Amino acid sequence: MVAVDLAEQMLDVTQRRSGAKAICADAVALPFPDSLFDCVFVGYGLRNFSNLNAALQEIHRVTRPGGQMVSLDFFLPPNRLWRKLYLGYLYVQGAFWGFLLHGRPRLYTYIPDSLQGFLSLEDLSSLLRRMGYVRVDARPYILGGIGLHWGIKG
Ligand SMILES: C[S@@+](CC[C@H](N)C(=O)[O-])C[C@H]1O[C@@H](n2cnc3c(N)ncnc32)[C@H](O)[C@@H]1O
């Protein structure tokens, strides 16, 4: 198992908790040969990548044919009322925990901000299909505020 992140501090936490081999790298230039991995899991990552298409192409490249790609991330819920409540909840929670843990109330409020420019659950499924994944599916949680996507490299 290998963990990849741009941030050394994030990798230190990963190594302490899981013992996984940690590699500091950009998702758009993964330092691995083609088709190395059976599965690539991206946790709350896609939304943060500045070049989503390039990162997905890299993830596709390093996954073996028949291997799986799985992503868990935040999304804007489709229902307008729930979307407003959900965004409000994320701002309040983000400010609370950012202040309590780090003395920086704006630290985690980037999460609701980052949702504004991100894809919808359905659009990410379509993008994965266009990238060459088959049997793509997605499961919404908390009424579409979180989504789990998966697909097989065809
Ligand atoms: C919300 S954190 C999620 C961290 C971890 N995957 C988790 O689930 O706890 C988003 C992470 O994406 C990383 N990140 C952002 N852009 C990246 C890129 N281009 N390549 C690799 N990692 C990136 C950040 O450094 C940050 O640690």
Side-chain angles (χ1 to χ4, degrees), residues 1-4 14-15 17-23 32 36-41:
M1 188 166 74
V2 178
V4 175
T14 307
Q15 245 176 346
R17 289 189 182 165
S18 71
K21 186 175 176 191
I23 295 184
F32 308 114
L36 182 65
F37 296 105
D38 294 321
C39 179
V40 177
F41 175 75

Side-chain angles (χ1 to χ4, degrees), residues 50-129:
S50 50
N51 190 337
L52 177 61
N53 281 18
L56 284 174
Q57 266 161 16
E58 270 298 85
I59 291 166
H60 187 269
R61 180 185 69 75
V62 300
T63 308
R64 70 164 170 80
Q68 197 166 25
M69 186 272 182
V70 181
S71 166
L72 181 72
D73 220 318
F74 288 100
F75 290 88
L76 279 180
N79 179 281
R80 290 173 74 170
L81 177 61
W82 173 233
R83 192 186 313 159
K84 278 193 175 167
L85 290 169
Y86 183 63
L87 285 172
Y89 169 81
L90 290 178
Y91 277 116
V92 171
Q93 284 284 328
F96 176 78
W97 288 108
F99 180 72
L100 197 73
L101 297 177
H102 308 281
R104 293 169 58 193
R106 290 291 293 160
L107 192 67
Y108 297 124
T109 55
Y110 91 92
I111 295 173
D113 289 339
S114 70
L115 291 181
Q116 309 289 350
F118 191 45
L119 302 175
S120 69
L121 212 87
E122 293 74 22
D123 286 347
L124 180 56
S125 295
S126 304
L127 180 58
L128 291 176
R129 287 188 192 99

Side-chain angles (χ1 to χ4, degrees), residues 4-7 10 25-28 42-45 47-50 110:
V4 175
D5 200 291
L6 259 185
M10 192 59 88
D26 194 324
V28 301
V42 190
Y44 303 103
R47 178 178 40 88
N48 293 296
F49 296 162
S50 50
Y110 91 92

